[in-house]
Amino acid sequence: MKQIHKFLAIAIVVLATASCKKETEKNEGAVTAADSTAVEKQRIVSLNSAITEIVSATGHQDEIVGVDVTSTYPENIKETAKDLGHIRSISIESIMALQPTLILGTDKDISPELEEKIKQSGVKHHIFTQEISVEGTKQLIKDVASVFNAEYEPIQAKIDDALASNVKPLDKKPKVLFIYARGANQLMVSGTGTPVDKVITLAGAENAVKGFEDYKPLTPEALIQSNPDVILMFDSGIGSLGGPQGVWQIPGMDKTNAGKNKKIISMDGGLLSSFGPRLGQAVEELNGKLMENAK
């Protein structure tokens, strides 16, 4: 009888151990499946250069499959993401062809028609408000990073650090005229309220033009009247004119302080105008170049 009891006791232990082992294996399998779902990569379409930079800064660049034409940073972004063109000409069909799981953009870029089509597509999306200011940029960083539950404070801190530590006051505020060029026959000048206008102010200078907002065609009369001390252009804009020599040949330029003293600053367009994570770097670079031109 004792032998039977002993055998039954051993059998119960063996069965209990086997049962626990199966339950453990089942639970481990469940955890693995959950982890697999959690790390599944998204297919992101970003329709704004600042947003593209923020997504990349949060560590999700490799999930971006499509971008707008202004998204030029990180420099290799278009090696892996399709360039969909200018935001005003992007169709919902071209976006959906990329099979996105997440679409990101801003209300200042996306037309109401495209926004409505994005909503109707059923794809998860976020259309953010982008205010062109330091605080607005920091808020956009927070909003975009929050989509990925990513830290945003270190990205914001880089802007604050650059503005506080590396932007120096200028002895005299130079008058800066920004010219947007796409060849000699397409020259536009920035009035107030543009991203470039805001960077000029943050860098310690003043816009040479104050009579209007946004952009207007450049005329010789307006150029002479504004009489800028420095001309500011995108690298691509100067290139479209054949270099600085082409800038000096713009009618009326020779009658300005900038033209007489050959004062011109060239900067990367994406850096200067995107108001993204590199805003501090853009202001710092322009401020440094203005200091050099003042010598």
Side-chain angles (χ1 to χ4, degrees):
M1 196 69 174
K2 288 183 180 180
Q3 289 277 19
I4 293 174
H5 287 166
K6 184 176 180 181
F7 175 79
L8 287 174
I10 293 172
I12 290 170
V13 170
V14 170
L15 288 172
T17 302
S19 177
C20 288
K21 183 178 180 181
K22 286 181 179 179
E23 188 64 29
T24 300
E25 288 174 349
K26 179 181 177 182
N27 290 337
E28 286 177 350
V31 171
T32 302
D35 288 346
S36 176
T37 302
V39 299
E40 184 178 350
K41 288 187 176 181
Q42 300 193 70
R43 294 180 60 82
I44 303 168
V45 170
S46 173
L47 303 176
N48 173 275
S49 58
I51 290 176
T52 300
E53 291 191 28
I54 297 167
V55 173
S56 299
T58 62
H60 293 270
Q61 179 184 341
D62 62 341
E63 297 176 42
I64 301 175
V65 296
V67 294
D68 73 312
V69 69
T70 68
S71 296
T72 57
Y73 189 87
E75 295 175 357
N76 65 339
I77 186 65
K78 289 179 181 176
E79 293 177 9
T80 55
K82 182 177 177 59
D83 186 343
L84 294 169
H86 193 279
I87 185 63
R88 294 300 177 185
S89 62
I90 294 176
S91 67
I92 188 64
E93 290 79 13
S94 63
I95 294 174
M96 297 307 295
L98 298 175
Q99 299 180 319
T101 59
L102 178 63
I103 302 171
L104 304 174
T106 68
D107 54 12
K108 77 177 181 63
D109 298 316
I110 295 178
S111 66
E113 293 78 15
L114 180 57
E115 182 175 354
E116 182 59 31
K117 290 177 180 178
I118 290 173
K119 290 178 180 178
Q120 292 175 357
S121 72
V123 177
K124 183 180 178 181
H125 62 277
H126 293 274
I127 307 300
F128 303 97
T129 295
Q130 182 182 19
E131 178 188 313
I132 305 302
S133 66
V134 174
E135 289 306 314
T137 298
K138 289 165 67 176
Q139 182 63 49
L140 182 64
I141 290 170
K142 178 180 178 181
D143 292 343
V144 176
S146 297
V147 172
F148 303 94
N149 294 318
E151 290 187 10
Y152 56 85
E153 292 91 345
I155 307 173
Q156 293 175 327
K158 288 184 178 180
I159 297 175
D160 291 331
D161 291 345
L163 295 178
S165 304
N166 303 325
V167 178
K168 310 300 181 184
L170 302 172
D171 293 334
K172 180 183 177 182
K173 282 189 176 183
K175 293 197 298 180
V176 179
L177 182 68
F178 175 74
I179 300 175
Y180 176 80
R182 293 184 66 181
N185 296 322
Q186 190 171 351
L187 301 174
M188 305 287 287
V189 61
S190 168
T192 58
T194 68
V196 175
D197 169 63
K198 298 294 181 70
V199 174
I200 289 171
T201 302
L202 288 169
E206 63 176 302
N207 193 336
V209 177
K210 298 184 184 300
F212 60 87
E213 295 182 353
D214 206 11
Y215 285 88
K216 282 188 176 181
L218 177 63
T219 64
E221 297 75 20
L223 178 57
I224 295 170
Q225 184 177 2
S226 65
N227 191 23
D229 299 307
V230 181
I231 300 299
L232 174 62
M233 298 183 70
F234 292 158
D235 295 336
S236 58
I238 290 182
S240 74
L241 297 176
Q245 205 54 41
V247 178
W248 308 135
Q249 293 173 4
I250 294 174
M253 186 65 75
D254 60 334
K255 295 180 174 60
T256 67
N257 289 336
K260 293 172 183 176
N261 299 313
K262 300 295 187 287
K263 297 292 186 180
I264 188 169
I265 291 174
S266 174
M267 288 181 62
D268 175 74
L271 174 65
L272 186 60
S273 62
S274 70
F275 266 74
R278 297 183 297 156
L279 174 58
Q281 179 185 338
V283 176
E284 177 186 350
E285 183 174 321
L286 179 56
N287 175 258
K289 290 187 175 186
L290 287 169
M291 294 185 76
E292 286 294 320
N293 269 274
K295 294 179 181 178

